[in-house]
Amino acid sequence: MTSTRLPENVRARIESMLDSVDAELHAHYPGPDSRDQPIHTAYVGADRVTVETPKEWGAAAVELLDSQRALLSELDTTDSLDAVRARLEREPIQDMRIDFEDGYGFRSDAEEDAAAANAGAVLAAWGSAAAEAGADLGGPGSFGLRMKGLAGNERRRALRTLELVLDGMGGVPDGFVFTVPKIRSAGQAAALAAMCEGIERGSGLAEGTLRFELQIESPQAIIAADGTAPIAKMIAASGHRCSGLHFGTYDYTAACGVAATDQALDHPAADFAKSVMQVAAAQTGVWVCDGSTQIVPDGDPEFALRNHHRLVGRALTRGYYQGWDMHPAHLVTRWLATYDFFRKAIDVAVPRLEAYLDRRSGGVMDEPATAEALAATVLRGLSCGARTAGELPAQLTPEVLRALVARRPLS
């Protein structure tokens, strides 16, 4: 339809202006990442890791589940406990970092050099296992290291450790990523991107091979000196190499002046920071990962298990689908709370999606954006194993669900 009021040259100029806006928005907000986000990232100190660590964590988690079955059955609201036990035996950890920061501390250069070489060999083994069908290592599907930070007193050691780990791997396996703690400035993210480009060129790696996560644990990463919110700038400065934002519970709340007795994932200061992270990362393809709790069941198993189960469920309702796990016990309540959440969510989503596809109201008039969110929830539930595609109605295939998420026409 041709307008009779708008001159053609004006129309062309407006079209050109808006095309530029569209291109810029798409560059910054390409939409969700096509990869499946893991439900957690487990951290183990570089002085304690072996190829068998994921299996050992899984075995310890199964032992705890069996010893605390009565309590866990009380927490289990969707009859998921047996499925969780099977998961812990088969694939207890989806994502793991070998920690050279707070979980390792400062050592002599010779000691950290040796630990970095060992970490590289361990990561290479996990990468080989993930690539081979039927490999029985019980290893994670994605993995990497957390190096030391980029402040002047740590920078050289951090970069040396990263390079030694890369050398020890003998290449970069699929699923590898490194986490950088205590990020405070977009300039640091830009430097990381330049560093990755330099390592790739110097090592003959394909452009874009190296990706990193930014650990947000400083108030200055949330509100900068000029009053702006730096995280969006950090993501942009990363040049599409940033795959996730990880929250650091204790460094952040301590820096905000929160007393040690009150430092926790559900403190209002932590909630504010994670809300800023969530908004900055929305539609960028960058994942947001909740932080950790230091409470483990060594002293009071019932309190620790109830507390972690509650915190995981709380995070999931807020849209934080990934969190840190620091102890084998956390695997039990991580998987249980996650299965419970997605089984309940899928039971709600399926009839609404069926009604949407049938163009019936079902008592709720859902819009395309809601159908997108419902479908994304079902896909997350399938990805983590809470349900299988065979348990869904025939019309809700993974292909249909992905089309709803992408808002593509259904074939």
Side-chain angles (χ1 to χ4, degrees), residues 34-47:
S34 60
R35 301 168 298 149
D36 292 332
Q37 184 176 8
I39 69 164
H40 65 172
T41 298
Y43 281 74
V44 60
D47 56 333

Side-chain angles (χ1 to χ4, degrees), residues 36-40 76 78-88 90-94 316 321 334-347 376-392 398:
D36 292 332
Q37 184 176 8
I39 69 164
H40 65 172
D76 178 13
T78 59
D79 294 324
S80 297
L81 197 55
D82 288 339
V84 168
R85 192 183 191 282
R87 166 66 76 165
L88 292 172
R90 183 182 72 254
E91 185 195 355
I93 296 174
Q94 284 193 317
L316 290 168
Y321 299 111
R334 171 73 59 186
W335 283 108
L336 181 58
T338 300
Y339 274 23
D340 279 345
F341 175 82
F342 282 110
R343 287 187 172 190
K344 290 176 183 176
I346 288 172
D347 288 346
T377 295
V378 176
L379 285 172
R380 285 186 183 275
L382 296 180
S383 171
C384 75
R387 295 286 189 206
T388 66
E391 296 177 84
L392 302 181

Side-chain angles (χ1 to χ4, degrees), residues 351-372:
R352 289 175 64 176
L353 286 169
E354 288 184 294
Y356 179 83
L357 292 174
D358 293 342
R359 298 298 188 267
R360 292 181 287 106
S361 73
V364 181
M365 294 293 289
D366 286 323
E367 296 188 359
T370 305
E372 174 188 347

Side-chain angles (χ1 to χ4, degrees), residues 161-314:
T161 295
L162 175 60
E163 290 191 288
L164 287 172
V165 168
L166 292 172
D167 289 344
M169 288 193 298
V172 181
D174 290 341
F176 173 80
V177 66
F178 63 95
T179 308
V180 187
K182 297 178 175 59
I183 292 294
R184 302 172 70 187
S185 165
Q188 292 172 314
L192 283 170
M195 180 196 73
C196 288
E197 182 179 356
I199 291 175
E200 287 167 354
R201 289 182 177 178
S203 306
L205 297 172
E207 183 179 353
T209 296
L210 296 177
R211 303 191 75 187
F212 52 79
E213 299 158 333
L214 303 177
Q215 194 158 8
I216 306 301
E217 46 189 337
S218 300
Q220 295 79 23
I222 301 300
I223 299 179
D226 61 0
T228 61
I231 295 181
K233 295 179 180 178
M234 293 177 187
I235 293 172
S238 298
H240 301 293
R241 293 184 184 271
C242 177
S243 62
L245 303 174
H246 286 223
F247 182 62
T249 311
Y250 299 99
D251 282 72
Y252 184 87
T253 51
C256 286
V258 178
T261 51
D262 295 317
Q263 292 169 8
L265 281 174
D266 55 354
H267 191 280
D271 282 341
F272 174 73
K274 288 180 285 189
S275 292
V276 174
M277 292 165 59
Q278 187 176 44
V279 172
Q283 298 301 306
T284 65
V286 175
W287 295 333
V288 173
C289 180
D290 200 7
S292 64
T293 177
Q294 87 281 33
I295 299 172
V296 298
D298 294 344
D300 187 345
E302 179 173 354
F303 174 76
L305 291 169
R306 288 186 183 277
N307 182 64
H308 190 247
H309 186 273
R310 176 186 65 84
L311 289 172
V312 174
R314 183 180 187 273

Side-chain angles (χ1 to χ4, degrees), residues 310-334:
R310 176 186 65 84
L311 289 172
V312 174
R314 183 180 187 273
L316 290 168
T317 62
R318 285 158 173 76
Y320 311 132
Y321 299 111
Q322 182 181 358
W324 285 19
D325 287 329
M326 308 293 289
H327 187 279
H330 291 156
L331 303 182
V332 179
T333 36
R334 171 73 59 186

